[in-house]
Amino acid sequence: MAKRKSDPELFLPLTPAMFHILLALADRERHGYHIMQEVDERTEGKVRLGPGTLYGSIKRMLANGMVEETDERPDPDMDDERRRYYRLTDFGYRVARAEAERLAGLVKTARSKKLLSKA
Amino acid sequence: MTANNSKLPEKRVHPLSLRLYWFLLLAYPLSFRREYAPHMAQVFRDCYRAEKINRGLPGVSRLILRTLLDLMRTAPKEHLENLGKDHSVMNNLRKDALALLGCIGIIVAAFLLLSYGRRHEVSSILFFGYALDALVTAGIVGNLIVFLLVRTTRLNPLRTALWTLLIVNGVLLLVTVIIGSRVGGQFRLGSVIVGYLVSFAFWFSLHWIWAKTKSDGQVAVSGGP
């Protein structure tokens, strides 16, 4: 198990939902609805996670040690304490980074094949 | 949903939509529901509010459709994952199949005994017919209700079995007495009452033994090294 956790490459490629969740948690801890909102805003409504996809992915990421629950509330006065907040673990950060590098490699290949114009 | 509305004003969500969503969550495995159903319902409620405020009825309709599609895609996935993880579905199926076979065996044995009694006019076995009628009827109806209640609610299984079997046997006894007293002839009230008492005692004992063996098993597992 320790070996599995130490190697982010074993979890690649991530599902789009998992990668979006990791991206949403990259800068701060969020609860389920905040994650959905962040993904929705960032992708301009192109990706919308349903509750089943969201919590199914969170369940798997908790089991794999990519995210963890946190008791900290960004703004306790403004929030419902029944909500569960999640944050990225170090391992989750490494997995997200490995996936981003993999995708960047694909983009580089697409550019070299003239499928994409250079930014 | 684009608006930042995690703290939207408390506006009453259409209760039917939320209740329906709670009902649909039954499609997920029990372990998943226990952990995430309240949070999924909370997220649905938040999305519902946001769509209603930002996009009105069309937005709400799209949300419901999207949520249904999401449920249809993810619920089987969770079940499959459970199946591969701890074989709980297969274990339950095996237990259910054994219980079903046991019930069929008891009913077949009882019918054979009764037909033997009728052929040879053994009065004590003929008397057994009253108990058999009650056992079969109350067994099928009562156990079906208990099965559905235990699967769809969090009620205590033994208590559910007690009250369900009590009510089912009582209602069936009442119906039999009403019909029997009008038909008259060979109707014997005492035998019918004894029959339903036997039926209740038999089925409830089975549930009690089942619950006891299950709890003993759990203690043994949790108490292990």
Side-chain angles (χ1 to χ4, degrees):
Chain A
M1 190 68 187
K3 192 182 176 185
R4 269 185 72 194
K5 276 197 171 187
S6 65
D7 190 0
E9 297 287 331
L10 290 173
F11 292 90
L12 306 188
L14 292 176
T15 63
M18 284 169 104
F19 189 49
H20 277 296
I21 293 167
L22 290 179
L23 286 179
L25 296 174
D27 51 354
R28 55 178 284 199
E29 58 266 33
R30 294 175 195 271
H31 57 68
Y33 182 59
H34 260 168
I35 296 172
M36 282 174 94
Q37 276 186 306
E38 201 275 344
V39 173
D40 189 49
E41 283 169 23
R42 182 163 35 80
T43 62
E44 295 173 339
K46 285 175 191 153
V47 178
R48 286 183 167 173
L49 302 175
T53 305
L54 175 71
Y55 281 101
S57 303
I58 285 176
K59 186 192 87 174
R60 280 177 270 284
M61 290 194 292
L62 281 168
N64 292 329
M66 294 182 202
V67 297
E68 62 189 4
E69 285 178 30
T70 171
D71 295 329
E72 288 170 27
R73 294 283 185 270
D75 190 354
D77 297 334
M78 293 290 289
D79 203 15
D80 183 346
E81 63 180 21
R82 287 169 301 182
R83 289 182 194 273
R84 256 185 219 170
Y85 276 76
Y86 301 96
R87 71 176 163 210
L88 221 58
T89 60
D90 288 342
F91 179 66
Y93 180 80
R94 284 166 54 210
V95 172
R97 194 170 159 169
E99 177 69 354
E101 282 169 0
R102 188 187 70 83
L103 292 172
L106 284 176
V107 170
K108 196 177 167 188
T109 308
R111 284 208 175 107
S112 71
K113 305 262 183 192
K114 313 276 188 218
L115 291 171
L116 278 174
S117 58
K118 291 193 175 178
Chain B
M1 208 168 93
T2 49
N4 186 3
N5 32 29
S6 62
K7 280 306 287 179
L8 287 167
E10 277 300 317
K11 191 172 178 180
R12 190 173 169 76
V13 169
H14 198 293
L16 184 66
S17 301
L18 195 59
R19 278 181 204 165
L20 184 68
Y21 188 59
W22 265 110
F23 178 74
L24 290 174
L25 286 176
L26 290 172
Y28 289 97
L30 184 62
S31 56
F32 186 81
R33 280 203 317 267
R34 276 187 184 145
E35 192 68 23
Y36 298 107
H39 304 285
M40 290 167 78
Q42 172 79 55
V43 161
F44 179 75
R45 195 160 41 222
D46 290 337
C47 291
Y48 188 99
R49 279 183 196 144
E51 291 291 353
K52 200 169 184 183
I53 290 167
N54 296 332
R55 298 187 181 91
L57 192 62
V60 169
S61 308
R62 277 198 296 273
L63 168 71
I64 291 172
L65 185 66
R66 217 165 46 231
T67 308
L68 282 177
L69 290 173
D70 178 66
L71 185 134
M72 284 159 66
R73 208 173 46 236
T74 55
K77 199 174 169 182
E78 293 302 328
H79 278 288
L80 280 174
E81 203 165 280
N82 260 15
L83 190 71
K85 195 169 65 186
D86 58 2
H87 306 290
S88 60
V89 177
M90 288 309 290
N91 284 340
N92 287 341
L93 278 175
R94 205 175 297 139
K95 279 179 194 167
D96 289 346
L98 275 173
L100 188 69
L101 281 174
C103 289
I104 291 171
I106 290 166
I107 291 166
V108 168
F111 269 116
L112 288 174
L113 197 61
L114 188 64
S115 64
Y116 175 84
R118 281 188 179 134
R119 272 203 308 274
H120 298 85
E121 294 183 354
V122 182
S123 59
S124 58
I125 292 181
L126 283 174
F127 176 76
F128 178 69
Y130 286 97
L132 180 66
D133 289 339
L135 270 170
V136 174
T137 324
I140 291 170
V141 178
N143 286 308
L144 188 66
I145 295 171
V146 172
F147 178 78
L148 289 173
L149 284 173
V150 169
R151 283 291 159 107
T152 55
T153 66
R154 293 181 186 184
L155 295 170
N156 178 288
L158 191 61
R159 206 169 291 168
T160 307
L162 171 70
W163 287 107
T164 307
L165 291 170
L166 205 60
I167 292 167
V168 166
N169 278 286
V171 169
L172 286 172
L173 172 63
L174 199 67
V175 171
T176 312
V177 169
I178 291 168
I179 294 172
S181 59
R182 289 188 181 175
V183 172
Q186 293 183 330
F187 178 72
R188 289 194 294 182
L189 181 64
S191 303
V192 171
I193 292 172
V194 171
Y196 278 99
L197 284 174
V198 168
S199 160
F200 172 75
F202 174 79
W203 288 115
F204 182 67
S205 303
L206 272 188
H207 280 275
W208 184 77
I209 292 165
W210 183 267
K212 197 164 166 29
T213 46
K214 211 171 169 184
S215 65
D216 286 351
Q218 278 168 356
V219 168
V221 169
S222 61

